[in-house]
Amino acid sequence: MASDEEDFVFFGTPIEREEDITSRKKKSIAEASGQLRTLAPWKQEVRDEEGRRRFHGAFSGGFSAGYFNTVGSKEGWTPQTFTSSRKNRAEIKQQDLSNFLDDDEKAELEGNSLGTSMQFDTFGFTAAEMARKQVEKEQNERPSAIPGPAPDEIVVPATDPIGVRLMLKMGWRRGHSIKSSKTSSLYDAHREARKAFLALSDDAKPPVVGPKHAEVEDDMASASDLPTDGVSQFHKSTPVYVLNPKQDMHGLGYDPFKGAPEFRENKRSHLPGNKESGHKRQPPKKDGLFSFKSRNVAPGFGIGALEELDAEDEDVYASNYDFEAFVEEIEEPTKLAIEDKKKPSVKQHGILPGFKPATNSDYQLERFDPPVVPKDFVPQHKFPTTLEVNHKMTELPPKDVPPPEDNSLKVLIEGVATLVARCGTLFEELSREKNQSNPLFDFLNGGNGHDYYKRKLWEARQKHGDKFTPLLKEKATQNTQKLTAESRGNILGEKPLERSLAKDVPVPVTETVNLQFHLSDTFTEPSSFVEPTEITKPFQYDVAKQERFEQYMKEKYHGGLRTKDAGGSSKMSESARARERLEFEAAAEAITQGKWGKESQTSGQQILGVPGGRGLQFTSGGLEKMEVSRGEETMKKSMFPKREEFQWRPASILCKRFDLIDPYMGKPPPPPRSRSKLDSLIFMPDYVKASTKEEKTISNNTNLTGSQLDENEGTSVTGVEDNVEVENVERPVDLYKAIFSDDSDDEEESSNNPPEDPTKKIEAANTTLSRLVAGDFLESLGKELGLEVPPENHVKPQPTQKSTVPEIPQVSQMLHQPINSNSHKDTTRIQENSSRNDTSELNHEKQDTKVKRNGSSSEDERSRKRSKRHRSSSDGNGSDSSDDSRDRHSSRHKERKKESSRDRDRDRSSHGKHRKHKNRESSSKSRRYEDNDYGDGKREKRKWRD
Amino acid sequence: MSADGLPKNEAHVLKGHEGAVLTARFNKDGNYCLTGGKDRTIRLWNPHRGIHIKTYKSHGREVRDVHVTPDNSKICSCGGDRQVFYWDVSTGRVIRKFRGHDSEVNAVKFNEHASVVVSAGYDRSLRAWDCRSHSTEPIQIIDTFLDSVMSVCLTKTEIIAGSVDGTVRTFDIRIGRELSDDLGQPVNCISLSNDGNCVLASCLDSTLRLLDRTTGELLQEYKGHTCKSFKMDCCLTNSDAHVVGGSEDGRVFFWDLVDASVVSSFRAHSSVVTSVSYHPTDNCVMTASVDGSVRVWKA
């Protein structure tokens, strides 16, 4: 069929039949003809050229590009490259921009994309590559004698790289290095300057080494042949083959510092030849990769990338070297280059912070043996004699002549000769001048005995030559006035010697004597100390003297040789001059000292502070403390160790894990303990007890009343009361009262027990204190119980107490508390129990004792305790419980008192009518209040004591 | 007292730590030892043969203290990363990390049953961690210290800790009491005597102080060494006859317990001796130093 159809030939356009035209086409045509324009806007529909509806309502699909309201592709949103990763998880597709672009976008992008054209081939790589490919292709086509790919060397790119061509156009020729003339001249200048500097600093080291290595590598090549061709601007680019001799074990061409150039500098500094360069390159390291905030980082261990360097990362064990180098660095920014040399040796230790030198280095440090010292070497410096002296020393000795017959002349000649030898020719001239008329001195002028004098002089010079060379040199240099001496003096900070010396010297012999003395003055002090002393004029009253003084000062500070009668005071007598000089010296000293005093705070400190500051690292803060006086120490010893005891509540799980019984089992969690010392005195158990007492009250009550000790309990309560009730701290009690009890209770209570006398209260407080201090509460308890156990029928107070609701908890708690608080201490509990047993036994004996006796006996007790207290307080001073604790205790006591008085106030205000009833009978209640107070303190005391 | 029987000959040098070794501890029977240092590793050694057995790596910063359970099955360690690590000895894995200290942790100890780890931190707190449950919350925080807690010791019923605030505090779990003995000098390290009656406290005034635990009385002071700025250990010999302490100059000192005279001292290291640990039965002491070595000394 298909083949048949192919045979047909069609001419012209076929006529479209009616049915072929789709309805939508018709519609679009109609639309185009404006048929539908009459429709209301909301009825109009937008259609494409084929009449298809592309826009649907937002809820019926939105825009449809033909694929049923999806993206314009069959796959819809499914990415083209999507493959299930379930099976091939590891396969990671490299995605790029094109993966996310549509075809049209790609086409669009291609128009804008940049590509390198063959024409622009800077280094000729592309050309070379092309050429090689071409060669390979050709090789495949035609058989070759040598099988395999053509070696790269043979294939040379046909074209020059564009870079080369550009360079050629700019005047560069092949075989020349690329280098701007400007840099080279600049470099020359630098180099010259450095050379000059080195020459000036007169260092022994070869002047080339230092600066050369500091230069960048590519400069080094040209630096070697730099001075030769200054004319031509372009230098031969002789390839530098051996720049860095290979000293490591890495593979050829492997650069271990590829990503970390900071290390390269370090490596270079390690190399023996590059010591100087190493430290010169050090500074950039500081803001390099490892510039930590602190330099005292432990060597060897960095911290995680996500962690910050904290103070705790500082290496407390760091050696002092790092620190020293650090100090040096900051404080001496301007220093002579000679001194700079010290640094690298110190710095070598630190290298890079965060890294430590490997224990076994991969390169061997070249070591050279120290130069062999010749056997005959004498380690003593000989001052080089100056030209003149040398000349004189080496001059041929005059012929030996017999001494003149005249013995005195002979002695004179010899004496003069020694003197001249010692003091120089100056003396000879002077004496010649002086003694021109004297026939005895004819030998100086070539007269009688001249030859002998010459001979003696030579001998004397030979003799004294060694001894006095420095001196002679001093004079010689001065005479010859060589520039080298001056420059040398400048370097050494020496004041040039005065040249006009010869004229002023009155008596050469004394001069030589003075010379030695003045020599010390020839060294000028550092310029910082050469202060103009004009400000201070100690001799203002005498202008001439002041002038002389100034002259003196000038000379003193500027140094140099000078005559004694400087300042033209030749008129003055010798003694006056000496006296004046002494004065001047004293004044000068005073001035300098005064100045020092002033300066020491400012500039002096910064000069002297340098060694001091450096020394600081070696002094420890504890040193001063060590030198405390013996008295203090003994005091300390008596003070420490100081023992305190606190309540501490272990967590129940902790007890469980320790296999112990929780001492606080079944008690509500304590409130958080406050940090302050004073607050730590308010114990948590107060709250604990207060809260627990309510629940325990009833059970305790029933228990106790049910027991055979029933009656005793009531009475013993009154006895115990004194000691124990106190365990209730007012505050929590008040709190609970406020919460749980009505005012009516209070009323009832207060109506029964009117508030007590404040004075009595104080007294009670005192007694409390005394008892507390006296200490053993249990003992007193036992005694009291033994003493005053009321008879069975004297349970009278009980009903009254029971009538008041809050009373009961108190009572019961009194009974309960001691047991409770002592439950940890088995011994005490036993004691208490035994004491209670005692009471039960004594019970029968002391049937007739009354409650009132209780009070009186407690009075006795009080007095007894007071005396005890005095005793204990007197010896308590030296005891472990320090004043501190006592203070606290007392302060707390006061607080308590205040509180209780507040309590009372409240009572008073609410029940003012009862205030008049201040009778003894109601003391039972009031006493309870006292006891509250007192026992409170006691409880505290017990804590201290425990 | 004579210095006879006191270790003074170097038996082995345990080398392997890079950088300062901060702690060295014998295990219960003294056959093995653990060291920890600035290189963030804990190393297990046989100190008597000088063999390095295992390295435990997981700490993020330096290891300051390490302790091993009596049955040698677990290790706890602490350090600058503010965590307490609970390790399994054989696998070398961290079983648990206890986070909660606000700052570096100075010391760590197991209790008798190895059920609780107590750690002492620079954040002025002691924290007890439960090893039995899976909770990583501390079961108890004791924060009554006024300054960094440097050292902790545990008895069957008590937690004893020394702090820079100058106190040695004893927390008695049985009776719920805290006893604070103020020495007046920052306490660097505490160590219990083997009979448990005394506590030796190394103070930063270069003095070791021996306290009677029941009364808090100062029994003796030991001087001669230097201890001013570093956390350094001290301990008693296994016979309780001598006191052992390191010095910042690299020396190790032995004092007579009773008359406090320096019985023996020798240069053990080139730098600060950070830790001394005495063998539980033999006359053998192990010293660790900032110079990166751990040395075992025998009589």
Side-chain angles (χ1 to χ4, degrees):
Chain A
M1 274 288 282
S3 60
D4 287 351
E5 277 174 6
E6 265 172 32
D7 290 340
F8 292 113
V9 178
F10 292 100
F11 291 100
T13 11
I15 298 163
E16 283 185 352
R17 288 196 282 172
E18 266 296 298
E19 53 264 36
D20 284 348
I21 304 165
T22 54
S23 60
R24 60 171 194 265
K25 187 96 177 176
K26 250 194 257 173
K27 220 175 187 180
S28 78
I29 291 163
E31 201 179 297
S33 63
Q35 206 179 345
L36 289 171
R37 267 182 215 157
T38 51
L39 279 172
W42 53 271
K43 275 190 176 172
Q44 288 178 15
E45 282 179 340
V46 184
R47 291 167 196 283
D48 66 358
E49 61 271 9
E50 284 185 49
R52 286 175 299 193
R53 195 178 166 198
R54 288 301 185 215
F55 291 107
H56 311 277
F59 298 103
S60 53
F63 174 76
S64 151
Y67 282 100
F68 311 105
N69 297 335
T70 64
V71 251
S73 70
K74 223 176 216 169
E75 295 87 9
W77 286 110
T78 315
Q80 215 171 10
T81 55
F82 175 79
T83 45
S84 170
S85 64
R86 176 164 267 191
K87 279 171 187 167
N88 41 358
R89 272 173 198 282
E91 196 184 340
I92 297 162
K93 284 255 165 64
Q94 188 74 39
Q95 290 190 318
D96 65 347
L97 188 64
S98 62
N99 290 6
F100 300 97
L101 293 180
D102 291 339
D103 292 337
D104 54 338
E105 281 172 319
K106 268 181 205 161
E108 209 171 275
L109 205 68
E110 256 164 43
N112 296 334
S113 65
L114 287 174
T116 35
S117 77
M118 282 291 291
Q119 303 300 313
F120 195 83
D121 187 8
T122 318
F123 301 106
F125 292 149
T126 326
E129 184 76 9
M130 292 292 285
R132 198 171 59 238
K133 271 185 183 156
Q134 184 66 26
V135 166
E136 267 170 27
K137 210 188 277 173
E138 278 170 18
Q139 202 188 23
N140 286 340
E141 280 166 12
R142 60 159 179 260
S144 166
I146 309 157
D152 283 350
E153 290 79 20
I154 296 172
V155 185
V156 174
T159 55
D160 264 340
I162 186 79
V164 175
R165 273 186 281 158
L166 273 173
M167 296 265 296
L168 280 169
K169 279 220 171 108
M170 285 164 72
W172 174 78
R173 274 169 293 132
R174 285 177 194 280
H176 283 246
S177 72
I178 306 158
K179 192 165 191 293
S180 94
S181 57
K182 216 175 177 185
T183 50
S184 82
S185 65
L186 205 73
Y187 176 75
D188 279 349
H190 275 302
R191 194 155 176 270
E192 282 308 308
R194 229 172 278 124
K195 253 185 171 173
F197 178 69
L198 278 172
L200 208 73
S201 61
D202 199 20
D203 197 27
K205 72 171 182 206
V208 210
V209 177
K212 232 180 148 181
H213 284 263
E215 288 307 316
V216 198
E217 277 178 32
D218 58 0
D219 273 355
M220 279 177 80
S222 52
S224 56
D225 54 356
L226 184 95
T228 51
D229 56 357
V231 190
S232 79
Q233 302 222 321
F234 304 115
H235 310 284
K236 284 261 164 74
S237 68
T238 42
V240 189
Y241 289 114
V242 186
L243 262 182
N244 295 313
K246 188 164 160 51
Q247 284 174 312
D248 48 25
M249 311 270 270
H250 303 301
L252 267 183
Y254 170 70
D255 184 8
F257 311 110
K258 203 174 168 188
E262 293 86 359
F263 295 93
R264 183 175 285 123
E265 310 308 330
N266 253 287
K267 175 86 172 176
R268 281 158 60 93
S269 69
H270 267 306
L271 302 182
N274 285 348
K275 284 230 164 119
E276 271 79 13
S277 72
H279 90 267
K280 281 195 179 162
R281 300 295 213 82
Q282 214 74 7
K285 173 198 91 181
K286 262 189 282 176
D287 35 14
L289 182 61
F290 291 94
S291 61
F292 292 136
K293 275 171 262 168
S294 141
R295 288 183 50 117
N296 276 346
V297 180
F301 316 106
I303 51 167
L306 298 176
E307 288 177 87
E308 275 184 38
L309 188 95
D310 295 338
E312 67 248 30
D313 287 308
E314 283 187 16
D315 186 17
V316 285
Y317 304 107
S319 59
N320 292 326
Y321 280 112
D322 267 340
F323 182 57
E324 207 166 297
F326 181 59
V327 167
E328 206 166 328
E329 213 169 62
I330 50 163
E331 77 189 1
E332 301 167 316
T334 57
K335 259 210 156 184
L336 285 179
I338 311 159
E339 285 170 359
D340 264 7
K341 279 199 296 177
K342 273 183 276 168
K343 275 202 247 172
S345 61
V346 181
K347 279 205 153 186
Q348 292 276 314
H349 296 277
I351 321 292
L352 263 192
F355 288 83
K356 72 170 200 175
T359 43
N360 45 350
S361 56
D362 51 352
Y363 66 92
Q364 208 60 41
L365 206 73
E366 274 184 75
R367 287 195 185 279
F368 299 99
D369 289 333
V372 180
V373 181
K375 279 254 167 68
D376 55 340
F377 176 72
V378 182
Q380 186 181 21
H381 184 67
K382 273 185 191 155
F383 287 95
T385 47
T386 52
L387 267 178
E388 195 195 357
V389 177
N390 273 341
H391 175 68
K392 273 183 181 160
M393 301 296 260
T394 51
E395 84 185 334
L396 284 172
K399 50 186 192 305
D400 209 350
V401 279
E405 300 77 41
D406 190 354
N407 210 23
S408 64
L409 182 65
K410 183 188 156 213
V411 170
L412 182 69
I413 285 170
E414 279 171 6
V416 170
T418 28
L419 270 177
V420 167
R422 206 178 280 165
C423 313
T425 45
L426 211 76
F427 178 72
E428 191 189 73
E429 280 164 29
L430 280 169
S431 49
R432 192 183 294 146
E433 262 173 54
K434 222 175 179 182
N435 306 309
Q436 234 158 3
S437 52
N438 199 335
L440 261 176
F441 285 85
D442 268 352
F443 62 88
L444 288 173
N445 299 323
N448 189 19
H450 183 69
D451 289 338
Y452 182 70
Y453 166 71
K454 277 270 146 83
R455 172 74 197 175
K456 277 286 147 196
L457 184 62
W458 180 81
E459 277 175 11
R461 273 193 182 154
Q462 292 288 73
K463 215 187 285 171
H464 293 283
D466 289 75
K467 234 188 277 175
F468 287 90
T469 24
L471 213 64
L472 284 168
K473 189 191 112 204
E474 210 74 67
K475 294 182 85 76
T477 48
Q478 183 208 338
N479 285 344
T480 48
Q481 292 171 1
K482 286 196 93 175
L483 195 74
T484 49
E486 260 187 10
S487 58
R488 180 185 151 280
N490 276 337
I491 291 163
L492 290 174
E494 208 174 3
K495 185 72 195 171
L497 302 174
E498 273 155 324
R499 284 160 211 168
S500 56
L501 180 75
K503 286 172 244 158
D504 299 336
V505 175
V507 189
V509 186
T510 47
E511 205 275 327
T512 50
V513 173
N514 280 343
L515 191 65
Q516 205 101 26
F517 166 72
H518 286 315
L519 262 178
S520 63
D521 286 350
T522 48
F523 291 92
T524 51
E525 291 180 60
S527 58
S528 57
F529 300 122
V530 185
E531 281 282 304
T533 50
E534 282 82 349
I535 322 118
T536 50
K537 293 196 173 170
F539 304 106
Q540 272 168 335
Y541 50 90
D542 188 346
V543 183
K545 199 175 179 184
Q546 175 62 33
E547 259 176 29
R548 284 200 298 278
F549 176 67
E550 274 171 26
Q551 177 74 17
Y552 164 78
M553 288 298 282
K554 218 194 270 173
E555 276 174 6
K556 183 174 166 146
Y557 284 117
H558 291 255
L561 289 174
R562 62 183 170 275
T563 53
K564 271 164 74 185
D565 51 351
S569 60
S570 48
K571 297 146 275 176
M572 293 172 78
S573 71
E574 198 69 43
S575 62
R577 215 179 290 150
R579 213 180 305 127
E580 201 182 54
R581 187 169 170 115
L582 275 174
E583 263 177 45
F584 285 171
E585 267 167 10
E589 201 168 38
I591 284 166
T592 39
Q593 268 174 3
K595 196 172 69 198
W596 266 107
K598 267 179 263 155
E599 254 181 16
S600 60
Q601 279 109 32
T602 56
S603 64
Q605 197 139 43
Q606 79 187 37
I607 296 160
L608 285 189
V610 173
R614 213 174 295 171
L616 264 181
Q617 61 177 307
F618 298 109
T619 62
S620 86
L623 211 64
E624 272 77 34
K625 269 189 210 160
M626 291 296 288
E627 291 161 8
V628 285
S629 64
R630 200 142 276 274
E632 258 179 83
E633 209 165 277
T634 48
M635 200 185 77
K636 229 193 244 171
K637 256 181 198 168
S638 64
M639 246 168 84
F640 296 114
K642 195 166 62 189
R643 176 160 274 206
E644 291 173 67
E645 187 167 347
F646 305 101
Q647 205 90 25
W648 172 69
R649 185 177 169 135
S652 60
I653 184 135
L654 186 74
C655 302
K656 197 177 154 197
R657 293 282 178 256
F658 271 79
D659 262 1
L660 298 167
I661 300 155
D662 187 357
Y664 292 86
M665 210 193 308
K667 288 176 194 169
R673 185 164 149 186
S674 58
R675 276 251 161 210
S676 103
K677 277 234 166 183
L678 198 121
D679 280 4
S680 68
L681 290 170
I682 301 160
F683 297 100
M684 317 171 278
D686 294 355
Y687 297 89
V688 176
K689 279 168 198 159
S691 56
T692 50
K693 94 190 160 190
E694 291 290 328
E695 49 185 49
K696 303 221 169 171
T697 311
I698 301 145
S699 62
N700 270 330
N701 251 345
T702 50
N703 280 345
L704 290 168
T705 46
S707 71
Q708 53 160 337
L709 292 172
D710 192 9
E711 304 90 347
N712 289 336
E713 267 339 308
T715 51
S716 72
V717 159
T718 51
V720 173
E721 214 173 22
D722 286 323
N723 314 302
V724 191
E725 193 194 348
V726 232
E727 293 282 340
N728 300 324
V729 181
E730 272 87 343
R731 199 162 58 174
V733 169
D734 282 348
L735 186 74
Y736 273 85
K737 263 187 198 166
I739 296 167
F740 294 108
S741 61
D742 324 343
D743 281 339
S744 60
D745 294 337
D746 270 343
E747 260 178 45
E748 241 180 312
E749 199 182 343
S750 51
S751 64
N752 285 340
N753 312 293
E756 65 278 52
D757 197 338
T759 53
K760 206 188 155 203
K761 184 92 194 185
I762 290 157
E763 194 189 43
N766 281 336
T767 51
T768 324
L769 237 179
S770 69
R771 258 183 222 203
L772 290 174
V773 179
D776 198 353
F777 131 78
L778 285 167
E779 196 185 16
S780 68
L781 170 76
K783 272 181 189 155
E784 276 191 17
L785 286 174
L787 272 174
E788 43 232 341
V789 180
E792 268 184 50
N793 49 4
H794 273 283
V795 203
K796 247 187 177 175
Q798 226 169 355
T800 56
Q801 281 170 358
K802 269 187 178 164
S803 66
T804 63
V805 179
E807 217 56 66
I808 298 161
Q810 276 184 359
V811 170
S812 60
Q813 210 195 344
M814 287 166 224
L815 294 169
H816 176 63
Q817 286 303 336
I819 302 161
N820 189 17
S821 64
N822 289 325
S823 61
H824 346 287
K825 294 215 165 183
D826 298 343
T827 50
T828 49
R829 202 199 303 184
I830 289 159
Q831 210 176 331
E832 199 181 83
N833 285 341
S834 67
S835 68
R836 199 170 291 156
N837 289 337
D838 285 351
T839 49
S840 62
E841 280 168 23
L842 287 165
N843 201 4
H844 303 287
E845 295 168 21
K846 311 226 169 185
Q847 297 270 328
D848 52 346
T849 38
K850 311 226 164 171
V851 187
K852 272 198 177 177
R853 259 200 74 188
N854 188 357
S856 63
S857 68
S858 68
E859 281 293 335
D860 294 347
E861 196 80 327
R862 256 176 239 163
S863 59
R864 193 160 53 87
K865 294 288 155 125
R866 194 173 291 155
S867 65
K868 242 191 190 175
R869 169 199 165 213
H870 285 307
R871 187 172 52 85
S872 66
S873 67
S874 62
D875 63 16
N877 280 333
S879 71
D880 277 353
S881 61
S882 67
D883 302 327
D884 190 7
S885 64
R886 185 163 299 140
D887 284 350
R888 261 181 263 157
H889 168 254
S890 64
S891 70
R892 174 151 164 77
H893 195 81
K894 267 180 221 155
E895 201 182 299
R896 282 275 159 264
K897 256 200 274 182
K898 226 191 283 170
E899 229 166 293
S900 60
S901 68
R902 215 194 304 135
D903 196 11
R904 242 177 287 133
D905 285 349
R906 204 189 53 194
D907 283 351
R908 253 177 239 154
S909 59
S910 57
H911 315 288
K913 48 186 173 173
H914 298 296
R915 282 171 69 185
K916 289 148 215 153
H917 303 264
K918 287 186 199 167
N919 47 0
R920 275 292 191 209
E921 283 79 3
S922 64
S923 67
S924 69
K925 174 61 195 167
S926 66
R927 201 153 43 80
R928 188 164 300 122
Y929 266 97
E930 294 164 27
D931 291 335
N932 261 354
D933 213 345
Y934 138 138
D936 173 36
K938 165 168 281 183
R939 189 178 139 277
E940 255 173 46
K941 187 59 204 170
R942 278 187 56 225
K943 281 199 174 116
W944 294 117
R945 284 259 142 189
D946 285 352
Chain B
M1 276 288 282
S2 70
D4 295 340
L6 284 178
K8 56 183 176 294
N9 301 319
E10 186 179 299
H12 289 288
V13 184
L14 312 181
K15 278 197 184 241
H17 274 290
E18 289 176 45
V21 186
L22 301 180
T23 179
R25 301 268 181 267
F26 277 110
N27 73 333
K28 173 115 179 166
D29 58 6
N31 288 334
Y32 297 96
C33 71
L34 283 162
T35 60
K38 283 228 118 180
D39 60 356
R40 306 183 280 208
T41 61
I42 300 161
R43 282 160 200 261
L44 174 65
W45 312 78
N46 184 331
H48 306 294
R49 291 163 64 200
I51 300 169
H52 175 214
I53 299 165
K54 203 173 176 71
T55 304
Y56 300 88
K57 284 183 189 170
S58 201
H59 269 285
R61 298 206 185 192
E62 81 274 10
V63 182
R64 295 201 177 177
D65 198 10
V66 61
H67 193 222
V68 64
T69 56
D71 60 356
N72 295 335
S73 66
K74 303 286 192 300
I75 297 173
C76 63
S77 66
C78 65
D81 52 6
R82 305 174 187 194
Q83 297 177 27
V84 175
F85 283 51
Y86 181 55
W87 305 77
D88 184 58
V89 170
S90 52
T91 62
R93 292 227 181 112
V94 179
I95 301 169
R96 222 157 288 153
K97 290 179 188 175
F98 300 115
R99 296 183 182 91
H101 273 290
D102 298 329
S103 197
E104 296 94 321
V105 191
N106 288 321
V108 74
K109 283 277 188 308
F110 277 114
N111 72 337
E112 192 199 13
H113 313 293
S115 55
V116 173
V117 172
V118 179
S119 60
Y122 184 77
D123 59 354
R124 304 182 290 189
S125 74
L126 276 179
R127 278 160 206 255
W129 313 87
D130 192 358
C131 300
R132 296 250 168 97
S133 77
H134 287 282
S135 160
T136 53
E137 292 295 310
I139 53 175
Q140 176 120 35
I141 302 171
I142 302 169
D143 52 2
T144 59
F145 293 93
L146 305 175
D147 208 331
S148 169
V149 191
M150 295 304 287
S151 180
V152 64
C153 282
L154 299 187
T155 65
K156 284 181 185 178
T157 61
E158 289 143 313
I159 301 170
I160 308 155
S163 163
V164 178
D165 66 5
T167 58
V168 174
R169 291 178 199 243
T170 307
F171 300 90
D172 195 324
I173 300 165
R174 197 172 40 181
I175 62 167
R177 287 280 159 135
E178 171 190 344
L179 285 173
S180 164
D181 292 315
D182 193 349
L183 297 178
Q185 289 291 338
V187 177
N188 209 356
C189 170
I190 59 164
S191 177
L192 273 178
S193 65
N194 293 292
D195 60 6
N197 290 333
C198 302
V199 64
L200 181 70
S202 165
C203 297
L204 277 182
D205 59 345
S206 296
T207 312
L208 301 181
R209 292 184 167 85
L210 188 72
L211 298 180
D212 185 82
R213 288 210 24 233
T214 47
T215 61
E217 195 184 335
L218 179 66
L219 297 176
Q220 195 53 269
E221 290 188 340
Y222 307 94
K223 288 181 184 177
H225 66 302
T226 320
C227 174
K228 289 194 169 72
S229 46
F230 297 106
K231 180 183 188 297
M232 291 158 65
D233 281 354
C234 60
C235 64
L236 285 105
T237 58
N238 50 37
S239 57
D240 277 347
H242 297 97
V243 168
V244 191
S247 176
E248 281 177 20
D249 57 5
R251 298 179 72 82
V252 173
F253 285 76
F254 290 87
W255 290 271
D256 187 82
L257 184 89
V258 180
D259 58 15
S261 57
V262 176
V263 176
S264 162
S265 91
F266 55 85
R267 178 165 293 279
H269 292 275
S270 60
S271 188
V272 184
V273 178
T274 52
S275 185
V276 290
S277 181
Y278 209 86
H279 194 278
T281 50
D282 296 347
N283 280 328
C284 171
V285 73
M286 181 168 57
T287 60
S289 167
V290 169
D291 65 11
S293 66
V294 178
R295 285 165 208 263
V296 183
W297 307 83
K298 291 189 175 173

